[in-house]
Coordinates of all heavy atoms in Angstrom, one line a residue:
M1488 N 20.7 -52.4 -5.1 CA 20.4 -53.3 -4.0 C 18.9 -53.7 -4.1 O 18.1 -52.9 -4.3 CB 20.7 -52.6 -2.7 CG 20.9 -53.6 -1.6 SD 21.3 -52.7 -0.1 CE 19.7 -52.8 0.8
S1489 N 18.6 -55.0 -3.9 CA 17.2 -55.4 -3.9 C 16.5 -55.0 -2.7 O 17.0 -54.7 -1.6 CB 17.2 -56.9 -4.1 OG 17.6 -57.6 -2.9
D1490 N 15.2 -55.0 -2.8 CA 14.3 -54.6 -1.7 C 13.8 -55.8 -0.9 O 13.6 -55.7 0.3 CB 13.1 -53.9 -2.3 CG 13.4 -52.6 -3.0 OD1 14.2 -51.8 -2.4 OD2 13.0 -52.4 -4.2
L1491 N 13.7 -56.9 -1.6 CA 13.1 -58.1 -0.9 C 13.8 -59.3 -1.6 O 14.2 -59.3 -2.7 CB 11.6 -58.2 -1.2 CG 10.7 -57.1 -0.5 CD1 9.4 -57.0 -1.3 CD2 10.4 -57.6 0.9
S1492 N 13.7 -60.4 -0.8 CA 14.1 -61.7 -1.4 C 12.8 -62.4 -1.9 O 11.8 -62.4 -1.2 CB 14.8 -62.5 -0.3 OG 14.2 -63.8 -0.1
F1493 N 12.9 -63.0 -3.1 CA 11.7 -63.6 -3.6 C 11.2 -64.8 -2.7 O 10.0 -65.0 -2.5 CB 12.0 -64.2 -5.0 CG 10.8 -64.8 -5.7 CD1 9.9 -64.0 -6.4 CD2 10.6 -66.1 -5.7 CE1 8.8 -64.5 -7.0 CE2 9.5 -66.7 -6.3 CZ 8.6 -65.9 -7.0
A1494 N 12.2 -65.5 -2.2 CA 11.9 -66.6 -1.3 C 11.1 -66.2 0.0 O 10.4 -67.0 0.6 CB 13.1 -67.4 -0.9
S1495 N 11.3 -64.9 0.4 CA 10.6 -64.5 1.6 C 9.2 -64.1 1.3 O 8.4 -63.9 2.3 CB 11.3 -63.3 2.2 OG 11.1 -62.1 1.3
L1496 N 8.8 -64.0 0.1 CA 7.4 -63.6 -0.3 C 6.5 -64.8 -0.3 O 6.8 -65.7 -1.1 CB 7.4 -62.8 -1.6 CG 8.0 -61.5 -1.6 CD1 8.2 -61.0 -3.1 CD2 7.3 -60.5 -0.8
I1497 N 5.5 -64.8 0.4 CA 4.5 -65.8 0.5 C 3.4 -65.5 -0.5 O 2.9 -64.3 -0.5 CB 4.0 -66.1 1.9 CG1 5.1 -66.4 2.8 CG2 2.9 -67.1 1.9 CD1 4.8 -66.4 4.3
E1498 N 3.0 -66.4 -1.3 CA 2.0 -66.2 -2.3 C 0.7 -65.6 -1.7 O 0.2 -66.1 -0.7 CB 1.6 -67.5 -3.0 CG 0.4 -67.4 -3.9 CD 0.7 -68.0 -5.3 OE1 1.4 -69.0 -5.4 OE2 0.1 -67.5 -6.3
N1499 N 0.2 -64.5 -2.3 CA -1.0 -63.8 -1.9 C -0.9 -63.2 -0.5 O -2.0 -62.9 0.1 CB -2.2 -64.7 -2.0 CG -2.6 -65.0 -3.5 OD1 -2.2 -64.3 -4.4 ND2 -3.4 -66.0 -3.7
K1500 N 0.3 -63.0 0.1 CA 0.4 -62.4 1.4 C 1.2 -61.1 1.2 O 2.5 -61.1 1.1 CB 1.2 -63.3 2.4 CG 0.4 -64.6 2.7 CD -0.7 -64.3 3.7 CE -1.5 -65.5 4.1 NZ -2.9 -65.2 4.3
P1501 N 0.5 -60.0 1.0 CA 1.3 -58.8 0.7 C 2.1 -58.3 1.9 O 1.8 -58.6 3.0 CB 0.1 -57.7 0.5 CG -1.1 -58.4 0.8 CD -0.9 -59.8 1.1
V1502 N 3.2 -57.6 1.5 CA 4.0 -57.0 2.5 C 4.2 -55.5 2.2 O 4.1 -55.1 1.0 CB 5.4 -57.6 2.6 CG1 5.3 -59.0 3.1 CG2 6.2 -57.5 1.3
R1503 N 4.4 -54.7 3.2 CA 4.6 -53.3 2.9 C 6.1 -52.9 3.0 O 6.7 -53.4 4.0 CB 3.8 -52.4 3.9 CG 4.0 -50.9 3.7 CD 3.1 -50.1 4.6 NE 3.5 -50.2 6.0 CZ 2.7 -49.9 7.0 NH1 1.5 -49.4 6.7 NH2 3.1 -50.0 8.2
I1504 N 6.6 -52.2 2.1 CA 7.9 -51.7 2.2 C 7.9 -50.2 2.1 O 7.0 -49.6 1.5 CB 8.9 -52.3 1.1 CG1 8.5 -51.9 -0.3 CG2 9.0 -53.8 1.2 CD1 9.6 -52.1 -1.3
E1505 N 8.9 -49.6 2.6 CA 9.1 -48.1 2.5 C 10.3 -47.9 1.5 O 11.4 -48.5 1.8 CB 9.4 -47.5 3.8 CG 8.3 -47.8 4.9 CD 7.0 -47.1 4.7 OE1 7.0 -46.0 4.0 OE2 6.0 -47.6 5.1
K1506 N 10.1 -47.1 0.5 CA 11.2 -46.8 -0.4 C 11.1 -45.4 -0.9 O 10.0 -45.0 -1.3 CB 11.2 -47.8 -1.5 CG 12.5 -47.6 -2.4 CD 12.6 -48.8 -3.4 CE 13.9 -48.6 -4.2 NZ 14.1 -49.8 -5.1
N1507 N 12.2 -44.6 -0.8 CA 12.2 -43.2 -1.2 C 11.0 -42.4 -0.7 O 10.4 -41.6 -1.4 CB 12.2 -43.1 -2.8 CG 13.4 -43.7 -3.4 OD1 14.3 -44.2 -2.7 ND2 13.6 -43.4 -4.7
G1508 N 10.6 -42.7 0.6 CA 9.6 -42.0 1.2 C 8.2 -42.5 0.8 O 7.2 -41.9 1.2
E1509 N 8.1 -43.5 0.0 CA 6.8 -44.0 -0.4 C 6.5 -45.4 0.2 O 7.4 -46.2 0.4 CB 6.8 -44.2 -2.0 CG 7.0 -42.9 -2.7 CD 6.7 -42.9 -4.1 OE1 5.7 -43.6 -4.5 OE2 7.4 -42.2 -4.9
S1510 N 5.2 -45.6 0.6 CA 4.8 -46.9 1.1 C 4.3 -47.7 0.0 O 3.4 -47.2 -0.7 CB 3.7 -46.7 2.2 OG 4.2 -46.0 3.3
I1511 N 4.8 -48.9 -0.1 CA 4.5 -49.7 -1.3 C 4.0 -51.1 -0.8 O 4.6 -51.7 0.1 CB 5.7 -49.9 -2.2 CG1 6.2 -48.5 -2.6 CG2 5.4 -50.7 -3.4 CD1 7.6 -48.4 -3.2
C1512 N 3.0 -51.6 -1.4 CA 2.4 -52.9 -1.1 C 2.9 -53.9 -2.2 O 2.7 -53.7 -3.3 CB 0.9 -52.8 -1.1 SG 0.0 -54.3 -1.1
V1513 N 3.7 -54.9 -1.7 CA 4.3 -55.8 -2.6 C 3.6 -57.2 -2.4 O 3.6 -57.7 -1.3 CB 5.8 -55.9 -2.4 CG1 6.5 -56.9 -3.3 CG2 6.5 -54.5 -2.5
T1514 N 3.2 -57.8 -3.6 CA 2.5 -59.0 -3.5 C 3.0 -60.0 -4.5 O 3.1 -59.7 -5.7 CB 1.0 -58.8 -3.7 OG1 0.5 -57.8 -2.9 CG2 0.2 -60.1 -3.4
R1515 N 3.2 -61.2 -4.1 CA 3.6 -62.3 -5.0 C 2.4 -63.1 -5.4 O 1.6 -63.5 -4.5 CB 4.6 -63.2 -4.3 CG 5.0 -64.4 -5.2 CD 5.9 -65.3 -4.5 NE 6.0 -66.6 -5.1 CZ 6.5 -67.7 -4.6 NH1 7.1 -67.7 -3.4 NH2 6.5 -68.8 -5.3
V1516 N 2.2 -63.2 -6.7 CA 1.2 -64.1 -7.2 C 1.8 -65.1 -8.2 O 2.3 -64.7 -9.2 CB 0.1 -63.3 -8.0 CG1 -1.0 -64.2 -8.5 CG2 -0.5 -62.2 -7.1
G1517 N 1.9 -66.3 -7.8 CA 2.6 -67.3 -8.6 C 4.1 -66.9 -8.7 O 4.7 -66.6 -7.7
E1518 N 4.6 -66.8 -9.9 CA 6.0 -66.5 -10.1 C 6.2 -65.0 -10.4 O 7.2 -64.5 -10.6 CB 6.6 -67.3 -11.3 CG 6.6 -68.8 -11.0 CD 7.4 -69.1 -9.7 OE1 8.5 -68.7 -9.6 OE2 6.7 -69.8 -8.9
E1519 N 5.1 -64.2 -10.3 CA 5.1 -62.8 -10.5 C 5.0 -62.0 -9.2 O 4.5 -62.5 -8.2 CB 3.9 -62.4 -11.4 CG 4.0 -62.9 -12.8 CD 2.9 -62.4 -13.7 OE1 1.7 -62.9 -13.5 OE2 3.1 -61.5 -14.5
V1520 N 5.5 -60.8 -9.2 CA 5.4 -59.9 -8.1 C 4.9 -58.6 -8.5 O 5.3 -58.0 -9.5 CB 6.8 -59.7 -7.4 CG1 6.7 -58.8 -6.2 CG2 7.4 -61.1 -6.9
F1521 N 3.9 -58.1 -7.8 CA 3.3 -56.8 -8.1 C 3.5 -55.8 -7.0 O 3.5 -56.2 -5.8 CB 1.8 -57.0 -8.4 CG 1.5 -58.0 -9.5 CD1 1.2 -59.3 -9.2 CD2 1.5 -57.5 -10.8 CE1 1.0 -60.2 -10.3 CE2 1.3 -58.4 -11.8 CZ 1.0 -59.8 -11.6
A1522 N 3.6 -54.5 -7.4 CA 3.8 -53.5 -6.4 C 2.9 -52.3 -6.7 O 2.8 -51.8 -7.8 CB 5.3 -53.0 -6.4
I1523 N 2.1 -51.9 -5.7 CA 1.2 -50.8 -5.8 C 1.3 -49.9 -4.6 O 1.9 -50.3 -3.6 CB -0.3 -51.3 -6.0 CG1 -0.7 -52.1 -4.7 CG2 -0.5 -52.1 -7.2 CD1 -2.2 -52.4 -4.6
G1524 N 0.8 -48.7 -4.8 CA 0.8 -47.8 -3.6 C 0.1 -48.4 -2.5 O -1.0 -49.1 -2.7
D1525 N 0.7 -48.3 -1.3 CA 0.1 -49.0 -0.1 C -1.2 -48.4 0.5 O -2.0 -49.0 1.1 CB 1.1 -49.2 1.0 CG 0.6 -50.1 2.1 OD1 0.2 -51.3 1.8 OD2 0.5 -49.7 3.2
T1526 N -1.3 -47.1 0.2 CA -2.4 -46.4 0.8 C -3.6 -46.4 -0.1 O -3.6 -46.0 -1.2 CB -2.1 -44.9 1.2 OG1 -0.9 -44.9 2.0 CG2 -3.2 -44.2 1.9
C1527 N -4.7 -46.9 0.5 CA -6.0 -47.0 -0.3 C -6.4 -45.6 -0.8 O -6.2 -44.6 -0.1 CB -7.1 -47.5 0.6 SG -8.7 -47.7 -0.2
S1528 N -6.9 -45.5 -2.0 CA -7.2 -44.2 -2.6 C -8.6 -43.7 -2.0 O -8.9 -42.6 -2.3 CB -7.3 -44.3 -4.1 OG -8.4 -45.2 -4.5
H1529 N -9.2 -44.5 -1.3 CA -10.5 -44.1 -0.7 C -10.3 -43.3 0.6 O -10.9 -42.3 0.9 CB -11.4 -45.3 -0.4 CG -12.7 -44.9 0.3 ND1 -13.0 -45.4 1.5 CD2 -13.7 -44.1 -0.1 CE1 -14.2 -44.9 1.8 NE2 -14.6 -44.1 0.9
S1530 N -9.4 -43.9 1.5 CA -9.1 -43.2 2.7 C -7.8 -43.8 3.2 O -7.1 -44.4 2.5 CB -10.3 -43.5 3.8 OG -10.0 -42.7 4.9
D1531 N -7.5 -43.5 4.5 CA -6.1 -43.8 4.9 C -6.0 -45.2 5.5 O -6.0 -45.4 6.7 CB -5.7 -42.8 5.9 CG -4.2 -42.8 6.2 OD1 -3.5 -43.4 5.5 OD2 -3.8 -42.2 7.3
A1532 N -6.0 -46.2 4.6 CA -5.8 -47.6 5.1 C -4.7 -48.3 4.3 O -4.5 -47.9 3.2 CB -7.1 -48.4 4.9
S1533 N -4.0 -49.2 5.0 CA -2.9 -49.8 4.4 C -3.4 -51.1 3.6 O -3.9 -52.0 4.2 CB -1.9 -50.3 5.5 OG -0.9 -51.0 4.9
L1534 N -3.2 -51.0 2.3 CA -3.7 -52.1 1.5 C -3.0 -53.4 1.7 O -3.5 -54.5 1.5 CB -3.6 -51.8 0.0 CG -4.5 -50.7 -0.5 CD1 -4.2 -50.4 -2.0 CD2 -6.0 -51.1 -0.3
S1535 N -1.7 -53.4 2.2 CA -1.0 -54.6 2.5 C -1.6 -55.4 3.6 O -1.2 -56.6 3.8 CB 0.5 -54.3 2.8 OG 0.6 -53.4 3.9
E1536 N -2.6 -54.8 4.3 CA -3.3 -55.6 5.4 C -4.5 -56.2 4.8 O -5.3 -56.8 5.6 CB -3.6 -54.7 6.6 CG -2.3 -54.2 7.3 CD -2.6 -53.1 8.3 OE1 -3.7 -53.1 8.9 OE2 -1.8 -52.2 8.4
G1537 N -4.7 -56.1 3.5 CA -5.9 -56.6 2.9 C -5.8 -58.0 2.4 O -4.7 -58.6 2.4
D1538 N -6.8 -58.6 1.9 CA -6.8 -60.0 1.4 C -6.6 -60.0 -0.1 O -7.2 -59.1 -0.8 CB -8.1 -60.7 1.7 CG -8.3 -61.0 3.2 OD1 -7.3 -61.2 3.8 OD2 -9.4 -60.9 3.6
V1539 N -5.9 -60.9 -0.6 CA -5.6 -61.1 -2.0 C -6.2 -62.3 -2.6 O -6.1 -63.4 -2.0 CB -4.1 -61.1 -2.3 CG1 -3.8 -61.4 -3.8 CG2 -3.4 -59.8 -1.8
S1540 N -6.9 -62.2 -3.8 CA -7.3 -63.3 -4.5 C -7.4 -62.9 -6.0 O -7.9 -61.8 -6.3 CB -8.6 -63.9 -4.0 OG -9.6 -62.9 -4.2
D1541 N -7.0 -63.8 -6.8 CA -7.2 -63.6 -8.3 C -6.7 -62.3 -8.8 O -7.5 -61.6 -9.5 CB -8.7 -63.8 -8.5 CG -9.0 -64.0 -10.0 OD1 -8.1 -64.5 -10.7 OD2 -10.2 -63.8 -10.4
H1542 N -5.5 -61.9 -8.4 CA -4.9 -60.6 -8.8 C -5.6 -59.4 -8.3 O -5.5 -58.3 -8.8 CB -4.8 -60.5 -10.4 CG -3.7 -61.4 -11.0 ND1 -4.0 -62.7 -11.5 CD2 -2.4 -61.3 -11.1 CE1 -2.9 -63.2 -11.9 NE2 -1.9 -62.4 -11.7
K1543 N -6.4 -59.6 -7.3 CA -7.1 -58.4 -6.7 C -6.7 -58.4 -5.2 O -6.5 -59.4 -4.5 CB -8.6 -58.6 -6.8 CG -9.2 -58.5 -8.2 CD -10.7 -58.7 -8.2 CE -11.1 -60.0 -7.8 NZ -12.5 -60.3 -8.1
I1544 N -6.7 -57.1 -4.7 CA -6.5 -56.9 -3.3 C -7.7 -56.1 -2.8 O -8.1 -55.2 -3.4 CB -5.1 -56.2 -3.0 CG1 -4.8 -56.3 -1.5 CG2 -5.1 -54.8 -3.6 CD1 -3.4 -56.0 -1.2
E1545 N -8.2 -56.6 -1.6 CA -9.3 -56.0 -1.0 C -8.9 -55.1 0.2 O -8.3 -55.7 1.1 CB -10.3 -57.0 -0.6 CG -11.6 -56.5 0.0 CD -12.6 -57.5 0.4 OE1 -12.5 -58.7 0.0 OE2 -13.5 -57.2 1.2
C1546 N -9.3 -53.9 0.2 CA -9.0 -53.0 1.3 C -9.8 -53.5 2.5 O -11.0 -53.8 2.5 CB -9.4 -51.6 1.0 SG -9.1 -50.5 2.4
W1547 N -9.1 -53.7 3.6 CA -9.7 -54.2 4.8 C -10.7 -53.3 5.5 O -11.6 -53.7 6.2 CB -8.6 -54.6 5.9 CG -7.8 -53.4 6.3 CD1 -6.7 -53.0 5.7 CD2 -8.1 -52.6 7.4 NE1 -6.2 -51.8 6.4 CE2 -7.1 -51.6 7.4 CE3 -9.1 -52.5 8.4 CZ2 -7.0 -50.6 8.4 CZ3 -9.0 -51.5 9.3 CH2 -8.0 -50.5 9.3
L1548 N -10.6 -52.0 5.2 CA -11.4 -51.0 5.9 C -12.8 -50.9 5.4 O -13.8 -51.1 6.1 CB -10.7 -49.6 5.8 CG -11.3 -48.6 6.8 CD1 -11.4 -49.1 8.2 CD2 -10.4 -47.3 6.8
H1549 N -13.0 -50.7 4.1 CA -14.4 -50.6 3.5 C -14.6 -51.5 2.4 O -15.7 -51.5 1.7 CB -14.7 -49.2 3.1 CG -14.4 -48.1 4.1 ND1 -13.5 -47.2 4.0 CD2 -15.0 -47.9 5.3 CE1 -13.4 -46.4 5.1 NE2 -14.4 -46.8 5.9
G1550 N -13.6 -52.4 2.0 CA -13.9 -53.4 1.1 C -13.6 -53.1 -0.4 O -14.0 -53.9 -1.3
A1551 N -13.1 -51.9 -0.7 CA -12.8 -51.7 -2.1 C -11.8 -52.7 -2.6 O -10.8 -53.0 -1.9 CB -12.3 -50.2 -2.3
E1552 N -11.9 -53.0 -3.9 CA -10.9 -54.0 -4.5 C -10.1 -53.2 -5.6 O -10.7 -52.4 -6.3 CB -11.6 -55.2 -5.1 CG -12.2 -56.1 -4.1 CD -12.9 -57.3 -4.7 OE1 -13.6 -57.1 -5.8 OE2 -12.7 -58.4 -4.2
F1553 N -8.8 -53.6 -5.6 CA -7.9 -53.0 -6.6 C -7.3 -54.1 -7.4 O -7.0 -55.2 -6.8 CB -6.8 -52.1 -6.0 CG -7.4 -50.9 -5.3 CD1 -7.8 -51.0 -3.9 CD2 -7.5 -49.7 -5.9 CE1 -8.3 -49.9 -3.3 CE2 -8.0 -48.6 -5.2 CZ -8.4 -48.7 -3.9
D1554 N -7.0 -53.9 -8.7 CA -6.3 -54.8 -9.5 C -4.8 -54.6 -9.3 O -4.3 -53.5 -9.4 CB -6.6 -54.6 -11.0 CG -6.1 -55.7 -11.9 OD1 -5.0 -56.1 -11.7 OD2 -6.9 -56.1 -12.8
L1555 N -4.2 -55.7 -8.8 CA -2.7 -55.6 -8.5 C -1.9 -55.3 -9.7 O -0.8 -54.8 -9.6 CB -2.2 -56.9 -7.9 CG -2.7 -57.3 -6.5 CD1 -2.4 -58.7 -6.2 CD2 -2.1 -56.3 -5.5
R1556 N -2.4 -55.6 -10.9 CA -1.6 -55.4 -12.1 C -1.7 -54.0 -12.7 O -0.7 -53.5 -13.3 CB -2.1 -56.4 -13.2 CG -1.9 -57.9 -12.8 CD -2.7 -58.8 -13.7 NE -4.2 -58.6 -13.4 CZ -5.1 -59.5 -13.8 NH1 -4.8 -60.5 -14.5 NH2 -6.4 -59.2 -13.5
T1557 N -2.8 -53.4 -12.4 CA -3.0 -52.0 -13.0 C -3.3 -50.9 -12.0 O -3.2 -49.8 -12.4 CB -4.3 -52.1 -14.0 OG1 -5.4 -52.4 -13.1 CG2 -4.1 -53.1 -15.1
G1558 N -3.6 -51.3 -10.8 CA -3.9 -50.3 -9.7 C -5.3 -49.8 -9.8 O -5.8 -49.0 -9.0
V1559 N -6.1 -50.3 -10.8 CA -7.4 -49.8 -11.0 C -8.3 -50.2 -9.9 O -8.3 -51.3 -9.4 CB -8.0 -50.3 -12.4 CG1 -9.5 -50.1 -12.5 CG2 -7.3 -49.7 -13.5
A1560 N -9.2 -49.2 -9.5 CA -10.2 -49.5 -8.5 C -11.3 -50.3 -9.1 O -12.0 -49.8 -10.0 CB -10.7 -48.2 -7.8
L1561 N -11.6 -51.5 -8.7 CA -12.6 -52.4 -9.3 C -13.9 -52.2 -8.7 O -14.9 -52.5 -9.3 CB -12.1 -53.8 -9.2 CG -10.8 -54.1 -9.9 CD1 -10.3 -55.5 -9.6 CD2 -10.9 -54.0 -11.4
T1562 N -14.0 -51.9 -7.4 CA -15.2 -51.8 -6.7 C -15.3 -50.6 -5.8 O -14.2 -50.2 -5.3 CB -15.5 -53.1 -5.8 OG1 -14.5 -53.2 -4.9 CG2 -15.6 -54.3 -6.7
L1563 N -16.5 -50.1 -5.6 CA -16.7 -49.0 -4.6 C -16.3 -49.5 -3.2 O -16.4 -50.7 -3.0 CB -18.1 -48.5 -4.7 CG -18.6 -47.9 -6.1 CD1 -20.1 -47.7 -6.1 CD2 -17.8 -46.6 -6.3
P1564 N -16.0 -48.6 -2.3 CA -16.2 -47.1 -2.5 C -15.0 -46.4 -3.1 O -15.0 -45.2 -3.2 CB -16.4 -46.7 -1.0 CG -15.6 -47.7 -0.2 CD -15.7 -49.0 -0.9
A1565 N -13.9 -47.1 -3.5 CA -12.8 -46.4 -4.2 C -13.1 -46.2 -5.6 O -13.7 -47.1 -6.3 CB -11.5 -47.3 -4.0
V1566 N -12.7 -45.1 -6.2 CA -13.0 -44.8 -7.6 C -11.6 -44.4 -8.3 O -11.6 -44.5 -9.5 CB -14.0 -43.7 -7.8 CG1 -15.4 -44.2 -7.4 CG2 -13.7 -42.5 -7.1
T1567 N -10.7 -44.1 -7.5 CA -9.4 -43.6 -8.1 C -8.4 -44.7 -8.0 O -8.3 -45.4 -7.0 CB -8.9 -42.4 -7.2 OG1 -9.9 -41.4 -7.1 CG2 -7.6 -41.8 -7.8
P1568 N -7.6 -44.9 -9.1 CA -6.6 -46.0 -9.1 C -5.5 -45.6 -8.1 O -5.3 -44.5 -7.7 CB -6.1 -46.0 -10.5 CG -6.5 -44.7 -11.1 CD -7.7 -44.2 -10.4
V1569 N -4.8 -46.7 -7.6 CA -3.6 -46.5 -6.9 C -2.4 -46.6 -7.9 O -2.5 -47.2 -8.9 CB -3.4 -47.5 -5.7 CG1 -4.4 -47.2 -4.6 CG2 -3.5 -48.9 -6.2
K1570 N -1.3 -46.0 -7.5 CA -0.1 -46.1 -8.3 C 0.4 -47.5 -8.4 O 0.3 -48.3 -7.5 CB 1.0 -45.2 -7.5 CG 2.1 -44.7 -8.3 CD 2.8 -43.6 -7.5 CE 4.1 -43.2 -8.1 NZ 4.8 -42.2 -7.3
T1571 N 1.1 -47.8 -9.6 CA 1.7 -49.1 -9.7 C 3.2 -48.8 -9.9 O 3.6 -47.8 -10.4 CB 1.2 -49.9 -10.9 OG1 1.3 -49.1 -12.1 CG2 -0.3 -50.2 -10.7
Y1572 N 4.0 -49.8 -9.6 CA 5.4 -49.7 -9.7 C 5.9 -50.9 -10.5 O 5.4 -52.0 -10.3 CB 6.1 -49.7 -8.4 CG 5.7 -48.6 -7.5 CD1 4.6 -48.7 -6.6 CD2 6.4 -47.4 -7.4 CE1 4.2 -47.7 -5.8 CE2 6.0 -46.4 -6.6 CZ 4.9 -46.5 -5.8 OH 4.5 -45.5 -5.0
E1573 N 7.0 -50.7 -11.3 CA 7.6 -51.8 -12.0 C 8.4 -52.6 -11.0 O 9.1 -52.1 -10.2 CB 8.5 -51.2 -13.1 CG 9.0 -52.3 -14.1 CD 10.2 -51.8 -14.8 OE1 10.3 -50.5 -15.1 OE2 11.0 -52.6 -15.2
V1574 N 8.4 -53.9 -11.2 CA 9.1 -54.8 -10.3 C 10.1 -55.6 -11.2 O 9.7 -56.2 -12.2 CB 8.2 -55.8 -9.6 CG1 9.0 -56.8 -8.7 CG2 7.2 -55.0 -8.7
A1575 N 11.3 -55.7 -10.7 CA 12.3 -56.5 -11.4 C 12.7 -57.7 -10.5 O 13.0 -57.5 -9.3 CB 13.6 -55.6 -11.7
I1576 N 12.7 -58.8 -11.1 CA 13.1 -60.0 -10.4 C 14.3 -60.6 -11.0 O 14.4 -60.8 -12.2 CB 11.9 -61.1 -10.4 CG1 10.6 -60.5 -9.9 CG2 12.3 -62.4 -9.6 CD1 9.4 -61.5 -10.0
D1577 N 15.3 -60.8 -10.2 CA 16.6 -61.3 -10.7 C 17.0 -62.4 -9.7 O 17.6 -62.1 -8.7 CB 17.6 -60.2 -10.8 CG 19.0 -60.7 -11.4 OD1 19.0 -61.8 -11.9 OD2 20.0 -60.0 -11.2
G1578 N 16.7 -63.7 -10.1 CA 17.0 -64.7 -9.2 C 16.1 -64.6 -8.0 O 14.9 -64.5 -8.1
D1579 N 16.8 -64.4 -6.8 CA 16.0 -64.2 -5.6 C 15.8 -62.8 -5.2 O 15.2 -62.4 -4.2 CB 16.8 -65.0 -4.4 CG 15.9 -65.0 -3.2 OD1 14.8 -65.5 -3.3 OD2 16.4 -64.7 -2.1
S1580 N 16.4 -61.9 -6.0 CA 16.3 -60.5 -5.7 C 15.1 -59.8 -6.4 O 14.8 -59.9 -7.6 CB 17.5 -59.7 -6.3 OG 18.7 -60.2 -5.6
V1581 N 14.3 -59.1 -5.5 CA 13.1 -58.4 -6.0 C 13.3 -56.9 -5.8 O 13.6 -56.5 -4.6 CB 11.9 -58.9 -5.3 CG1 10.6 -58.1 -5.7 CG2 11.6 -60.4 -5.5
T1582 N 13.3 -56.2 -6.8 CA 13.5 -54.7 -6.7 C 12.3 -54.0 -7.3 O 11.9 -54.2 -8.4 CB 14.8 -54.3 -7.5 OG1 15.9 -55.1 -7.0 CG2 15.1 -52.9 -7.3
V1583 N 11.8 -53.0 -6.5 CA 10.7 -52.2 -6.9 C 11.3 -50.9 -7.5 O 12.1 -50.2 -6.8 CB 9.8 -51.8 -5.8 CG1 8.7 -50.9 -6.2 CG2 9.2 -53.1 -5.2
N1584 N 11.0 -50.6 -8.7 CA 11.6 -49.4 -9.4 C 10.6 -48.2 -9.2 O 9.5 -48.3 -9.5 CB 11.8 -49.7 -10.9 CG 12.9 -50.7 -11.1 OD1 13.9 -50.7 -10.4 ND2 12.6 -51.6 -12.0
I1585 N 11.2 -47.2 -8.7 CA 10.4 -46.0 -8.4 C 10.7 -44.9 -9.4 O 11.8 -44.7 -9.7 CB 10.7 -45.5 -7.0 CG1 10.2 -46.5 -6.0 CG2 10.0 -44.1 -6.7 CD1 10.0 -46.0 -4.6
Ligands
FES2192 S1 -10.2 -47.0 3.0 FE1 -10.0 -48.5 1.5 S2 -12.1 -48.8 0.9 FE2 -12.2 -47.2 2.4

């Protein structure tokens, strides 16, 4: 069963989903969809409430940026990557694989 409908995803507007007890931030960029752990690796903030530009998401709390493709922390104060998840797109069905 899919987690989201592709048509429901607005470009660069992340959404948070819960799956298997994990909080996941799902973001559409163009025709691609990226999924990363929703909790910032710096402290307890939800990345899906952050701003997205150029394949980066900025934590709203202290401004650390993460690469949506790799989960790598690009700017301080975060230094630890967040988890990434594989995303399968089949027509309008978007599934995050855990
Ligand atoms: S909680 Fe995200 S940068 Fe501090």
Side-chain angles (χ1 to χ4, degrees):
M1488 199 178 106
S1489 72
D1490 299 309
L1491 291 157
S1492 127
F1493 186 82
S1495 73
L1496 291 170
I1497 299 167
E1498 173 132 32
N1499 290 343
K1500 294 283 178 215
V1502 296
R1503 180 173 66 197
I1504 65 166
E1505 305 289 332
K1506 186 168 183 179
N1507 292 11
E1509 300 195 33
S1510 295
I1511 303 164
C1512 169
V1513 182
T1514 309
R1515 175 181 165 193
V1516 179
E1518 297 305 304
E1519 293 182 286
V1520 177
F1521 301 96
I1523 61 172
D1525 187 59
T1526 305
C1527 182
S1528 65
H1529 175 243
S1530 189
D1531 192 16
S1533 175
L1534 291 176
S1535 58
E1536 293 170 35
D1538 290 327
V1539 173
S1540 64
D1541 198 21
H1542 289 96
K1543 292 180 293 193
I1544 190 162
E1545 181 181 343
C1546 178
W1547 61 273
L1548 192 51
H1549 307 113
E1552 291 181 317
F1553 296 88
D1554 191 315
L1555 289 170
R1556 298 164 290 193
T1557 62
V1559 166
L1561 300 168
T1562 58
L1563 295 172
V1566 291
T1567 307
V1569 291
K1570 204 166 167 179
T1571 57
Y1572 301 87
E1573 189 199 330
V1574 177
I1576 303 173
D1577 181 13
D1579 191 49
S1580 297
V1581 177
T1582 305
V1583 177
N1584 294 318
I1585 296 200

